[in-house]
Coordinates of all heavy atoms in Angstrom, one line a residue:
I5 N 157.4 8.6 172.2 CA 158.1 9.0 171.0 C 158.7 7.8 170.3 O 158.7 7.6 169.1 CB 159.1 10.1 171.3 CG1 158.4 11.4 171.7 CG2 160.0 10.4 170.0 CD1 157.6 12.1 170.7
L6 N 159.4 7.0 171.1 CA 160.1 5.8 170.6 C 159.1 4.8 170.0 O 159.4 4.2 168.9 CB 160.9 5.1 171.7 CG 162.1 5.9 172.2 CD1 162.7 5.2 173.4 CD2 163.2 5.9 171.0
V7 N 157.9 4.6 170.6 CA 156.9 3.7 170.1 C 156.4 4.2 168.7 O 156.3 3.5 167.8 CB 155.8 3.5 171.1 CG1 154.6 2.8 170.4 CG2 156.3 2.8 172.3
E8 N 156.1 5.5 168.7 CA 155.6 6.1 167.4 C 156.7 6.1 166.3 O 156.5 5.8 165.2 CB 155.2 7.6 167.7 CG 154.8 8.3 166.4 CD 153.6 7.8 165.7 OE1 152.8 7.0 166.4 OE2 153.4 8.0 164.5
A9 N 158.0 6.3 166.7 CA 159.1 6.3 165.8 C 159.2 4.9 165.2 O 159.4 4.7 164.0 CB 160.4 6.7 166.4
A10 N 159.1 3.9 166.0 CA 159.2 2.5 165.6 C 158.1 2.2 164.6 O 158.3 1.5 163.5 CB 159.1 1.5 166.7
Q11 N 156.9 2.7 164.8 CA 155.8 2.4 163.9 C 156.0 3.1 162.5 O 155.8 2.6 161.5 CB 154.4 2.9 164.5 CG 153.2 2.7 163.6 CD 153.1 1.2 163.3 OE1 153.2 0.3 164.2 NE2 152.8 0.9 162.0
R12 N 156.6 4.3 162.6 CA 156.9 5.0 161.3 C 158.0 4.3 160.6 O 157.9 4.3 159.3 CB 157.3 6.5 161.6 CG 156.2 7.3 162.2 CD 156.6 8.8 162.3 NE 155.6 9.6 163.0 CZ 155.5 10.9 163.0 NH1 156.5 11.6 162.3 NH2 154.6 11.6 163.7
L13 N 158.9 3.8 161.3 CA 160.0 3.0 160.6 C 159.4 1.8 160.0 O 159.8 1.4 158.8 CB 161.1 2.7 161.6 CG 162.0 3.8 162.1 CD1 162.9 3.3 163.2 CD2 162.8 4.4 160.9
R14 N 158.5 1.1 160.6 CA 157.9 -0.1 160.0 C 157.2 0.2 158.7 O 157.3 -0.5 157.7 CB 156.8 -0.7 161.0 CG 157.4 -1.5 162.2 CD 156.3 -2.3 162.9 NE 156.7 -2.8 164.1 CZ 156.5 -2.2 165.3 NH1 155.9 -1.1 165.4 NH2 156.9 -2.8 166.4
T15 N 156.5 1.4 158.8 CA 155.7 1.8 157.6 C 156.6 2.1 156.4 O 156.3 1.8 155.3 CB 154.8 3.0 157.9 OG1 154.0 2.7 159.0 CG2 154.0 3.4 156.8
S16 N 157.7 2.7 156.7 CA 158.6 3.1 155.6 C 159.6 2.1 155.2 O 160.2 2.2 154.1 CB 159.4 4.4 156.1 OG 160.3 4.0 157.2
A17 N 159.8 1.0 156.0 CA 160.8 0.1 155.7 C 160.4 -1.0 154.7 O 161.3 -1.7 154.2 CB 161.3 -0.6 157.0
G18 N 159.1 -1.2 154.5 CA 158.7 -2.2 153.6 C 159.0 -3.6 154.2 O 158.7 -3.9 155.3
D19 N 159.7 -4.5 153.4 CA 160.0 -5.8 153.8 C 161.4 -5.9 154.5 O 161.9 -7.0 154.8 CB 160.0 -6.8 152.7 CG 161.0 -6.4 151.6 OD1 161.6 -5.4 151.7 OD2 161.2 -7.2 150.6
A20 N 162.0 -4.7 154.8 CA 163.3 -4.7 155.4 C 163.2 -5.2 156.9 O 162.1 -5.1 157.5 CB 163.9 -3.3 155.4
F21 N 164.3 -5.7 157.4 CA 164.3 -6.1 158.8 C 164.7 -4.9 159.7 O 165.6 -4.2 159.4 CB 165.4 -7.2 158.9 CG 165.5 -7.8 160.3 CD1 164.8 -8.9 160.7 CD2 166.4 -7.2 161.3 CE1 165.0 -9.5 162.0 CE2 166.6 -7.8 162.5 CZ 165.8 -8.9 162.9
L22 N 163.9 -4.7 160.8 CA 164.1 -3.6 161.7 C 164.4 -4.0 163.1 O 163.9 -5.0 163.6 CB 162.9 -2.7 161.7 CG 162.7 -1.6 160.6 CD1 161.3 -1.0 160.8 CD2 163.8 -0.6 160.7
A23 N 165.4 -3.3 163.7 CA 165.7 -3.7 165.1 C 166.0 -2.4 165.9 O 166.5 -1.4 165.3 CB 166.9 -4.6 165.2
R24 N 165.6 -2.4 167.1 CA 166.0 -1.3 168.0 C 167.2 -1.8 168.8 O 167.1 -2.8 169.5 CB 164.9 -0.9 169.0 CG 165.3 0.2 170.0 CD 164.2 0.4 171.0 NE 164.6 1.4 172.0 CZ 164.2 1.5 173.2 NH1 163.3 0.5 173.7 NH2 164.6 2.4 174.1
I25 N 168.3 -1.2 168.7 CA 169.5 -1.7 169.3 C 169.9 -1.0 170.6 O 171.0 -1.3 171.2 CB 170.7 -1.7 168.3 CG1 171.0 -0.3 167.8 CG2 170.4 -2.6 167.1 CD1 172.2 -0.2 166.8
G26 N 169.1 0.0 171.0 CA 169.4 0.7 172.3 C 168.9 2.1 172.2 O 169.2 2.8 171.2
G27 N 168.3 2.6 173.3 CA 168.0 4.1 173.3 C 167.2 4.5 172.1 O 166.1 3.9 171.8
D28 N 167.7 5.5 171.4 CA 167.0 6.0 170.2 C 167.7 5.5 169.0 O 167.6 6.1 167.9 CB 166.9 7.5 170.2 CG 168.3 8.1 170.2 OD1 169.2 7.6 170.8 OD2 168.5 9.2 169.5
E29 N 168.4 4.3 169.1 CA 169.2 3.8 168.0 C 168.5 2.6 167.3 O 168.0 1.7 168.0 CB 170.6 3.3 168.5 CG 171.3 4.4 169.3 CD 172.5 3.9 170.0 OE1 172.8 2.7 169.9 OE2 173.2 4.6 170.7
F30 N 168.4 2.7 166.0 CA 167.7 1.7 165.2 C 168.6 1.2 164.1 O 169.5 1.9 163.7 CB 166.4 2.2 164.6 CG 165.4 2.7 165.7 CD1 165.5 4.0 166.2 CD2 164.4 1.8 166.2 CE1 164.6 4.5 167.1 CE2 163.5 2.3 167.1 CZ 163.6 3.6 167.6
M31 N 168.3 0.0 163.6 CA 169.1 -0.6 162.5 C 168.1 -1.3 161.5 O 167.2 -1.9 161.9 CB 170.1 -1.6 163.0 CG 171.2 -2.1 162.0 SD 172.5 -0.9 161.9 CE 173.5 -1.3 163.3
L32 N 168.4 -1.0 160.3 CA 167.6 -1.6 159.2 C 168.5 -2.5 158.3 O 169.6 -2.0 158.0 CB 167.0 -0.5 158.4 CG 166.1 -0.9 157.2 CD1 165.0 0.2 157.0 CD2 167.0 -1.0 155.9
V33 N 168.0 -3.7 158.0 CA 168.7 -4.5 157.0 C 167.8 -4.7 155.9 O 166.7 -5.3 156.0 CB 169.1 -5.9 157.7 CG1 169.8 -6.8 156.6 CG2 170.0 -5.7 158.9
S34 N 168.2 -4.3 154.7 CA 167.4 -4.3 153.5 C 167.2 -5.6 152.9 O 167.9 -6.6 153.3 CB 167.9 -3.3 152.5 OG 169.0 -3.9 151.8
G35 N 166.3 -5.7 151.9 CA 166.3 -6.9 151.1 C 167.4 -6.7 150.1 O 168.5 -6.1 150.3
A36 N 167.2 -7.3 148.9 CA 168.3 -7.3 147.9 C 168.4 -5.9 147.2 O 167.8 -5.7 146.1 CB 168.0 -8.4 146.8
L37 N 169.1 -5.0 147.8 CA 169.4 -3.7 147.2 C 170.8 -3.7 146.5 O 171.8 -4.0 147.2 CB 169.3 -2.6 148.2 CG 167.9 -2.4 148.9 CD1 168.0 -1.2 149.9 CD2 166.9 -2.1 147.9
Q38 N 170.8 -3.4 145.2 CA 172.1 -3.5 144.5 C 172.8 -2.2 144.4 O 174.0 -2.1 144.4 CB 171.8 -4.0 143.1 CG 171.2 -5.4 143.1 CD 172.2 -6.5 143.3 OE1 173.3 -6.3 143.6 NE2 171.7 -7.8 143.3
T39 N 172.1 -1.1 144.2 CA 172.8 0.2 143.8 C 172.7 1.2 144.9 O 171.9 1.1 145.9 CB 172.1 0.8 142.6 OG1 170.8 1.2 142.9 CG2 172.0 -0.2 141.4

């Protein structure tokens, strides 16, 4: 499930930076989002 979830996050995140920080916890850092 975690492997598939990571792949779905990659697909949806575009050029954002993705990290798995533990267990089922993930973090996304976007590009230049203003609003």
Side-chain angles (χ1 to χ4, degrees):
I5 294 294
L6 290 172
V7 170
E8 174 64 20
Q11 183 56 46
R12 295 189 186 193
L13 288 173
R14 284 192 191 94
T15 302
S16 63
D19 61 352
F21 181 93
L22 275 173
R24 180 188 177 209
I25 58 176
D28 63 323
E29 304 168 4
F30 299 88
M31 193 79 79
L32 177 151
V33 180
S34 75
L37 297 182
Q38 299 281 4
T39 68

